[in-house]
Amino acid sequence: MRTIWFAIASIVFAGIAATPLSAEGREPVRNKVVGGEQARVADWPGIAAIGLRAEDGETTHYFCGGTVIAPTWVLTAAHCLHDYTVSARSMVNASDGALYPAMLIVTPGVQDLTRAGDGDHLAVTRTIIHPVYLEKLAAAKAIDDPEDRAKALDNIALNHGHDIALLELAEPWQGPLARLSLAPETDPADDTRVRVAGFGYTESTMKSGSKRYNARDGGEIYAGSARLLQAGIGVIPTPDCAAHYQGHAIGAAQICAGLEEGGRDSCNGDSGGPLVAYGQDRKAYQVGLVSWGKSLCASSKSYGVYSRISAFGPWLKTYVPSLKAFPPALVADKSATALSELELDEAVSQLQAMFKASGSETLSLRLQGPRPIRLGDDFSFVVHSPVAGRLLIFDINAEGKVTLIFPNRFTRGVNSGRIKAGETLTIPGPGYGFTSFEAQEPVGPGRLIAIVVPDDFDLESAALPPALSSEIRSKGFAPVNRPTHYFMRFILQLERTLRSADAAERSGSEGDGLQAGWALSIVDYEISR
């Protein structure tokens, strides 16, 4: 079996630089975000970085994440606290090679750790580890052989679960708090899009380790990433995850998330950080915390394993009775495939950035019909492409639901959705089998995304598996909502292909290059009554 370490992955790699020494001189377990992007702290209420800070304030080593769930309580992973069961103090190593007395601190509500001031660091007065985990921790620490002891410590969460803990703060946090799923009915369904965030390792620091940054107060900090990073992934069915990680503790107290093809994951430095779903209000609520995963973050089927918060609701309330459960009334429809506002912004910005970086062409897309667009109005699309390739048009409506509206059943046989270089195509047109598109519910702002990809682009593995392709053909023009993660996988496949083509072009090697058709257009619209 491959070596497994504590970690989580997300859209961007983030991590820790030089790692702090624990009381026994060991390095902390890994935790990071891989394959992600920069996040806005406002979108992650209560998120916090956990670290060791020298008493003189000159050196801080961040090694885990967490969330503030009550003014004086922080939720994190038990494996982050192996050396802090008795005291919240230890020693930290500085760039001058010396060791300095240090205290366990929490830095909440900060988007860039280098900008944190003295008032942003809150001291920890008490650590509380789940009793099941604590019992296994004591047994592992009692092992005489150092190698066996280290292995036993690393395997507690993998083999016994209960990887959850609380930190009590010396003074209250005055900022926003994380919302929690404290009951199974508020947990996300399989294949639901979820997100993870942290200051863990990035793609560039995953191999080199934590990076040193200069703090604004003149001190030094070490982290996988100084900036908060986030990534979008999907909930993996528990049986699939358990089959993948046979022999490990994966059941009702865990939630697995990732992508089949990899590319996004949590990793070193992210441990204890939040895994969130989105409610009907399209705002985040926490459903899990980063526990462990494969040693190679974001690899194929590198599912992250998270402690499922709802499984520990009663235990959490024994220490934080003021906790309020995320209301079931706000849980999004389990069958919904909507993107949150954050995910929509992420998808659009990612598409724009990668097409711009690749030097691809601009596609012209306009709506032809009455203005303003009202319910029941008929309209068509006019597309002009500077390149030849396969045309796809996605609609993201006011509720964030993604529908591939071109091609569809009625376009079969009309060049199979192809467009020629310099061609202006009206959709629908002659031979399409339908006469127009109709503006339908929901009312509000929406977005059309038109993309031209090369004929040999792998649409099947990217976003249109055979089952979905046949679904389009069998249902005709009736909107077919795909699970949102297929759309995000499509974007991820686009990114990989463009990177590969760009690398081939720079190296002068023979490859697809960018001479094949690549073009993008994003058009906003609004439907009113």
Side-chain angles (χ1 to χ4, degrees):
M1 185 186 72
R2 296 179 61 180
T3 303
I4 297 179
W5 299 85
F6 292 101
I8 66 163
S10 55
I11 297 183
V12 200
F13 289 84
I16 308 176
T19 48
L21 291 176
S22 68
E24 296 180 5
R26 291 186 290 100
E27 293 183 354
V29 291
R30 81 182 176 107
N31 20 53
K32 72 183 170 193
V33 170
V34 176
E37 65 175 5
Q38 291 187 1
R40 298 181 305 173
V41 72
D43 296 322
W44 293 89
I47 196 165
I50 298 172
L52 275 176
R53 183 170 174 82
E55 290 182 355
D56 62 8
E58 291 298 310
T59 302
T60 305
H61 286 266
Y62 289 101
F63 57 89
C64 273
T67 47
V68 187
I69 60 173
T72 57
W73 291 99
V74 175
L75 181 65
T76 189
H79 77 256
C80 292
L81 306 177
H82 283 185
D83 300 311
Y84 305 101
T85 57
V86 176
S87 171
R89 292 185 172 274
S90 186
M91 303 292 290
V92 68
N93 57 316
S95 57
D96 61 7
L99 287 172
Y100 294 90
M103 66 187 79
L104 195 62
I105 56 98
V106 172
T107 307
V110 174
Q111 186 162 311
D112 185 341
L113 295 174
T114 66
R115 307 301 299 168
D118 287 340
D120 295 314
H121 307 299
L122 305 179
V124 174
T125 58
R126 182 168 57 142
T127 63
I128 300 172
I129 295 175
H130 192 282
V132 173
Y133 193 102
L134 189 61
E135 178 185 356
K136 303 301 180 183
L137 178 60
K141 285 186 173 183
I143 298 174
D144 292 331
D145 182 80
E147 290 187 7
D148 291 342
R149 181 171 63 249
K151 183 178 180 180
L153 289 169
D154 285 343
N155 284 335
I156 298 173
L158 282 68
N159 296 334
H160 305 288
H162 296 82
D163 189 12
I164 190 169
L166 289 166
L167 302 174
E168 188 172 15
L169 302 176
E171 55 185 293
W173 158 244
Q174 304 295 333
L177 306 175
R179 306 189 297 179
L180 303 181
S181 172
L182 295 178
E185 55 264 32
T186 52
D187 285 344
D190 293 343
D191 294 327
T192 299
R193 281 278 298 175
V194 288
R195 297 175 72 83
V196 63
F199 296 91
Y201 289 8
T202 65
E203 189 170 4
S204 60
T205 59
M206 185 164 51
K207 294 181 180 179
S208 60
S210 296
K211 184 177 179 181
R212 181 186 183 277
Y213 299 91
N214 292 321
R216 74 172 186 179
D217 58 7
E220 60 182 7
I221 68 170
Y222 293 87
S225 170
R227 292 187 64 86
L228 180 63
L229 300 174
Q230 64 187 20
I233 46 183
V235 175
I236 303 298
T238 299
D240 293 352
C241 188
H244 185 62
Y245 291 129
Q246 292 185 21
H248 295 292
I250 296 180
Q254 286 76 33
I255 182 170
C256 298
L259 295 176
E260 289 288 329
E261 67 276 22
R264 299 177 183 183
D265 196 9
S266 55
C267 204
N268 293 0
D270 296 324
S271 288
L275 179 75
V276 302
Y278 290 85
Q280 289 185 4
D281 58 2
R282 300 179 76 175
K283 294 181 180 179
Y285 67 100
Q286 189 174 351
V287 298
L289 59 87
V290 179
S291 183
W292 60 274
K294 281 188 175 181
S295 57
L296 183 57
C297 305
S299 59
S300 177
K301 293 189 177 181
S302 180
Y303 308 142
V305 180
Y306 301 77
S307 295
R308 187 184 294 267
I309 293 174
S310 64
F312 302 98
W315 177 76
L316 290 171
K317 283 196 168 187
T318 60
Y319 293 96
V320 194
S322 62
L323 277 182
K324 293 183 179 180
F326 180 75
L330 282 182
V331 174
D333 181 355
K334 297 283 187 178
S335 63
T337 59
L339 290 165
S340 69
E341 291 182 36
L342 190 60
E343 290 172 316
L344 178 55
D345 290 343
E346 170 204 322
V348 171
S349 63
Q350 190 170 355
L351 279 170
Q352 290 172 326
M354 65 178 153
F355 272 78
K356 181 179 179 180
S358 71
S360 56
E361 302 285 350
T362 299
L363 184 68
S364 173
L365 170 67
R366 62 184 176 88
L367 278 72
Q368 186 168 277
R371 290 291 191 279
I373 300 173
R374 301 189 184 279
L375 286 176
D377 285 347
D378 292 335
F379 59 95
S380 57
F381 304 137
V382 179
V383 182
H384 177 81
S385 177
V387 296
R390 298 179 67 179
L391 173 65
L392 300 120
I393 302 177
F394 295 91
D395 174 51
I396 304 178
N397 69 17
E399 294 178 348
K401 292 184 179 179
V402 182
T403 303
L404 180 67
I405 59 175
F406 183 87
N408 58 65
R409 172 196 170 207
F410 292 105
T411 61
R412 187 175 54 180
V414 185
N415 296 326
S416 299
R418 289 197 78 257
I419 190 167
K420 300 175 183 178
E423 179 181 12
T424 298
L425 191 64
T426 299
I427 307 171
Y432 277 78
F434 64 105
T435 59
S436 64
F437 290 90
E438 182 182 63
Q440 298 180 346
E441 293 278 9
V443 296
R447 188 164 287 178
L448 294 167
I449 299 176
I451 300 172
V452 173
V453 299
D455 289 325
D456 59 357
F457 179 75
D458 187 3
L459 280 172
E460 295 300 316
S461 63
L464 299 174
L468 289 178
S469 298
S470 62
E471 185 179 75
I472 296 171
R473 290 192 292 270
S474 65
K475 289 194 176 181
F477 181 62
V480 178
N481 285 319
R482 282 159 176 62
T484 296
H485 63 274
Y486 284 118
F487 179 65
M488 304 308 283
R489 287 177 182 173
F490 171 71
I491 293 175
L492 187 60
Q493 180 70 6
L494 280 174
E495 184 178 34
R496 286 174 169 169
T497 305
L498 284 169
R499 282 182 178 177
S500 176
D502 186 51
E505 186 176 58
R506 289 198 310 269
S507 66
S509 62
E510 293 186 1
D512 293 338
L514 292 178
Q515 69 275 14
W518 291 100
L520 171 71
S521 179
I522 300 174
V523 175
D524 293 325
Y525 68 85
E526 183 160 359
I527 297 174
S528 58
R529 296 188 185 280

